[in-house]
Each structure stands twice: as structure tokens, then as C-alpha cells.
């Protein structure tokens, strides 16, 4: 399970992501994560629920 998947349907802010990944919640780290999260949205791997709030896409179970 990834950090974004554990965030649930409401999603998580990049500052919370930084802490969950063991990074300092300083602006430089948070902005870097925001950039990466937006790239995941552009590639269709994540959703941006609200400005600055990201969550993983629901992946159908293989079967």
C-alpha cells in the first residue's frame, strides 16, 4: 500500500505526505512533493481532489 492509498477517499495534503515519507515538512520538500504529485495526476496515476489535496486512483482488483 502506498502513502497516497492510505490517505483514503479524502486525500492528503503534500505537507502530510512529506511527514509520512519521513521528510522534513519544510517548503522546499513540500513543493518538490507537490510537483511530483501533479506529475502523477498528469499521468493518470493519482487524483487531485482539491487544490493541494491528492489521492491514489482506485485500481480494480485483478481477477
Amino acid at each position: 500500500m502506498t502513502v497516497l492509498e492510505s490517505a483514503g477517499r479524502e486525500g492528503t495534503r503534500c505537507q502530510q505526505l512529506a511527514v509520512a515519507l519521513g521528510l522534513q515538512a519544510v517548503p522546499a520538500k513540500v513543493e518538490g512533493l507537490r510537483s511530483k504529485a501533479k506529475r502523477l495526476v498528469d499521468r493518470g496515476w493519482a487524483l487531485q481532489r482539491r487544490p493541494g489535496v491528492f489521492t491514489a486512483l482506485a485500481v480494480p482488483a485483478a481477477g
Side-chain angles (χ1 to χ4, degrees), residues 48-63:
Q48 187 172 6
R49 295 283 182 191
R50 297 181 305 274
V53 179
F54 298 90
T55 188
L57 285 175
V59 179

Side-chain angles (χ1 to χ4, degrees), residues 5-51:
E5 289 173 333
S6 65
R9 294 184 60 168
E10 292 79 34
T12 188
R13 296 199 160 276
C14 290
Q15 188 170 12
Q16 296 167 326
L17 282 174
V19 172
L21 293 170
L23 301 172
Q24 294 177 336
V26 295
K29 300 293 183 186
V30 173
E31 289 303 317
L33 278 174
R34 182 172 288 118
S35 172
K36 290 177 176 115
K38 285 186 176 189
R39 227 176 296 145
L40 291 174
V41 170
D42 290 342
R43 293 177 182 173
W45 296 355
L47 289 174
Q48 187 172 6
R49 295 283 182 191
R50 297 181 305 274

